[in-house]
């Protein structure tokens, strides 16, 4: 993943000393390859332990992994300023300029989101879903639209899935969930109060919780058995719902394809679903449903 994108997403939640490291790295990424953790600490004026904790907060095992990621970003993922989308679509932009900025933002978000979710985690989520007796999907606003889409995809594979956004209904159904059932939450912020309340309920009742949230540290991610990430730019306020939805859709589509690859039963169910729709659409079909 582009480590500079990770830093940009968590900057608002960093401590003062960590923010100093972030500012230095963002301004001088090409210098990191030459600095040890101790040398970086001296440059910024913080302790070496703070540098290590900063690296770990971004999801790396330690400073060497962080340093490698920064070098990799500098060498292989150049991002020209005029191609970035940080909420800079202006009211007076021409159609072509607006379209170029939006496309650049979408490509960046999808690329970073793909890199943010390791194959091992994606496959782990698929195994949990395939073994689940029941699956409840939930989200708020645009996230719930994606949850509904994923629910329909799972049901085409013959899986017992529902999508529910009302907290009262969620709680009444979750009260009957057990160890073989799964709650899958979609939340860009991971801090929506209603969603956090349901996540705490699931955790306190030892229910299996999967989640898809933004990369920045958040409550729902911490409460989850497995957490997948999106990489929408939080600073693009007006467009964040567009970009976060694109990122969420990429992840659920990847999960759907992995599930289809992994389940012969699911492939038969999907074929039967597609055939039923095809017969319905074909007025000349002899075996209409």
């Amino acid at each position: 993943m582009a480590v500079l994108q990770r830093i940009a997403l968590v900057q608002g939640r960093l401590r003062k000393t960590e923010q100093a490291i972030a500012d230095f790295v963002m301004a001088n990424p090409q210098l990191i390859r030459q600095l040890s953790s101790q040398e970086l600490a001296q440059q910024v004026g913080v302790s070496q332990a703070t540098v290590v904790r900063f690296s770990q907060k971004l999801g790396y095992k330690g400073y060497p992994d962080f340093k490698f990621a920064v070098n990799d970003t500098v060498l292989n993922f150049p991002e020209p300023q005029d191609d970035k989308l940080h909420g800079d679509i202006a009211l007076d932009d021409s159609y072509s300029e607006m379209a170029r900025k939006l496309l650049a933002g979408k490509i960046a978000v999808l690329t970073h989101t793909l890199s943010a979710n390791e194959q091992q985690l994606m496959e782990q989520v698929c195994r949990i879903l395939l073994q689940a007796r029941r699956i409840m999907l939930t989200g708020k606003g645009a996230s719930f639209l994606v949850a509904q889409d994923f629910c329909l995809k799972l049901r085409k594979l013959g899986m017992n899935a529902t999508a529910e956004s009302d907290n009262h209904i969620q709680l009444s159904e979750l009260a009957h969930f057990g160890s073989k059932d799964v709650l899958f939450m979609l939340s860009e912020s991971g801090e929506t109060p209603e969603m956090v309340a349901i996540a705490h309920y699931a955790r306190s009742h030892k229910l299996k919780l999967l989640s898809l949230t933004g990369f920045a540290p958040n409550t729902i991610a911490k409460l989850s058995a497995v957490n997948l990430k999106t990489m929408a730019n939080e600073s693009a306020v007006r467009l964040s719902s567009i970009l976060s939805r694109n990122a969420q859709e990429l992840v659920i589509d990847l999960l759907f394809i992995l599930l289809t690859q992994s389940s012969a039963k699911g492939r038969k169910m999907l074929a039967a679903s597609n055939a039923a729709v095809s017969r319905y659409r074909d007025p000349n079909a002899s075996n209409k449903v």
Side-chain angles (χ1 to χ4, degrees), residues 107-259:
I107 291 172
V109 163
L110 295 177
T111 300
H112 296 320
T113 296
L114 181 62
S115 300
N117 296 286
E118 298 178 357
Q119 178 180 341
Q120 180 180 357
L121 279 181
M122 296 289 285
E123 292 176 344
Q124 182 182 358
V125 170
C126 284
R127 286 193 297 271
I128 292 172
L129 292 175
L130 285 172
Q131 295 168 4
R133 181 180 60 176
R134 291 178 294 182
I135 303 165
M136 179 191 291
L137 297 117
T138 184
K140 292 293 182 182
S143 292
F144 183 63
L145 298 179
V146 181
Q148 285 182 310
D149 182 30
F150 194 27
C151 178
L152 292 174
K153 286 178 166 65
L154 295 181
R155 291 168 68 173
K156 282 186 176 181
L157 295 175
M159 302 173 75
N160 185 4
T162 60
E164 184 52 62
S165 63
D166 184 276
N167 286 67
H168 291 180
I169 298 176
Q170 288 168 351
L171 289 170
S172 65
E173 292 191 13
L174 290 175
H176 304 291
F177 269 39
S179 60
K180 295 182 180 180
D181 304 313
V182 172
L183 173 63
F184 197 127
M185 308 188 82
L186 288 80
S187 174
E188 179 61 25
S189 70
E191 298 292 350
T192 306
E194 301 93 332
M195 298 281 285
V196 170
I198 295 298
H200 276 297
Y201 177 89
R203 180 67 176 266
S204 65
H205 287 74
K206 296 181 171 54
L207 304 181
K208 189 158 291 182
L209 173 61
L210 307 178
S211 64
L212 175 58
T213 69
F215 177 78
N218 62 81
T219 302
I220 290 176
K222 292 177 182 178
L223 293 172
S224 301
V226 185
N227 173 243
L228 300 175
K229 301 292 187 184
T230 57
M231 291 290 290
N233 193 334
E234 291 179 344
S235 66
V237 178
R238 293 177 181 271
L239 297 173
S240 61
S241 62
I242 295 175
L243 300 181
S244 64
R245 189 179 70 248
N246 293 154
Q248 290 173 337
E249 288 170 345
L250 173 65
V251 175
I252 68 162
D253 286 345
L254 286 169
L255 289 173
F256 174 65
I257 293 172
L258 280 173
L259 288 166

Side-chain angles (χ1 to χ4, degrees), residues 11 14-28 40 43-46 50 54:
Q11 281 205 41
L14 296 175
R15 297 177 180 176
K16 186 175 180 180
T17 52
E18 295 170 338
Q19 185 62 55
I21 301 172
D23 291 342
F24 182 88
V25 175
M26 294 289 281
N28 309 281
L40 176 57
Q43 286 276 349
V44 179
V46 300
T50 300
F54 173 76

